[in-house]
Amino acid sequence: RPFISKARNIFLRSLSTESIILNTRNIGISAHIDSGKTTLTERILFYTGRINEIHDVRGKDGVGAKMDSMDLEREKGITIQSAATYCKWGPNHINIIDTPGHVDFTIEVERALRVLDGAILVICGVSGVQSQTLTVDRQMKRYSVSRIAFINKLDRTGSNPMKALEGLRKELRLGAALMQLPIGLENDFRGIIDIITREATSFL
């Protein structure tokens, strides 16, 4: 009886561990410098309930973004070393790795990509595909990392999501397709339309 009880506990513990593994994903966020990777991570953490407040990347409020742990990162407003955190969405446990965008810290991106299940490739809605975007894309292809592209900064002057889409297709040679459409651009950016669900979300 004691042996059976012990075996049952081990079996249940094994099932619990397997369930955790199946619901765990390692997701990386990569892009050219100043495309908004850390800002995006900060929002993900906030809207999943991981943090209670959103702070500025450059630390103007004296706190700084959650992922910028080094004083120099807060001062310069750039990511120097990869930083890991986590959040939960439903039954899923998501490990997030925020990687540097500056070319001098490419090795940090390289190390992070080896453990990823997938990635978010952040594209600046104004500048489109940039030099480090090309480098990060090559690294993702080398390690066969699946990714989605997130076009950021559509509220900025000169933003053009179609330019970013064209860059993904021509420069990165990816069969990219829009899953969402913006409602307005620049100062008039006020929401998105999800093409898959055919639902609109307003930010106002």
Side-chain angles (χ1 to χ4, degrees):
R1 288 287 178 85
F3 174 77
I4 294 173
S5 177
K6 186 176 181 181
R8 184 183 296 131
N9 288 336
I10 292 173
F11 177 69
L12 291 173
R13 195 156 52 239
S14 175
L15 285 178
S16 176
T17 303
E18 183 179 354
S19 176
I20 291 172
I21 292 173
L22 288 174
N23 291 326
T24 298
R25 291 293 182 271
N26 298 325
I27 304 297
I29 300 181
S30 301
H32 185 87
I33 187 172
D34 202 31
S35 293
K37 299 178 304 300
T38 303
T39 301
L40 174 61
T41 305
E42 188 85 352
R43 269 62 180 175
I44 291 173
L45 294 177
F46 178 77
Y47 288 111
T48 55
R50 181 77 171 83
I51 59 176
N52 297 321
E53 295 178 323
I54 295 175
H55 294 287
D56 187 76
V57 169
R58 293 186 183 273
K60 293 176 183 176
D61 56 2
V63 179
K66 176 77 172 177
M67 303 303 288
D68 288 339
S69 58
M70 299 172 61
D71 291 336
L72 189 59
E73 289 179 318
R74 292 194 179 99
E75 179 186 337
K76 301 296 183 182
I78 62 171
T79 301
I80 295 174
Q81 63 179 10
S82 295
T85 186
Y86 73 91
C87 65
K88 291 183 180 294
W89 189 254
N92 303 304
H93 181 98
I94 304 170
N95 295 318
I96 301 174
I97 302 177
D98 181 24
T99 63
H102 198 284
V103 65
D104 290 346
F105 310 114
T106 299
I107 190 62
E108 283 287 319
V109 181
E110 191 88 12
R111 290 193 299 183
L113 288 173
R114 298 181 182 184
V115 300
L116 297 182
D117 297 305
I120 301 172
L121 180 61
V122 182
I123 309 292
C124 176
V126 179
S127 303
V129 171
Q130 297 168 275
S131 59
Q132 193 65 5
T133 314
L134 297 169
T135 302
V136 169
D137 179 68
R138 282 196 299 269
Q139 291 173 316
M140 289 182 178
K141 287 175 179 173
R142 186 182 307 140
Y143 292 101
S144 301
V145 176
S146 301
R147 65 270 196 203
I148 61 172
F150 179 81
I151 303 175
N152 201 16
K153 300 188 177 183
L154 294 183
D155 59 335
R156 301 288 179 88
T157 302
S159 60
N160 184 355
M162 300 313 294
K163 173 187 174 182
L165 178 63
E166 185 180 0
L168 287 168
R169 290 174 174 173
K170 289 187 176 181
E171 298 182 55
L172 302 186
R173 297 182 181 179
L174 298 173
L178 292 175
M179 297 176 66
Q180 296 174 332
L181 292 172
I183 302 174
L185 288 172
E186 302 179 348
N187 290 334
D188 295 326
F189 182 52
R190 59 188 183 278
I192 56 169
I193 299 172
D194 192 305
I195 298 174
I196 307 300
T197 63
R198 299 185 180 184
E199 295 177 342
T201 301
S202 174
F203 302 144
L204 300 178

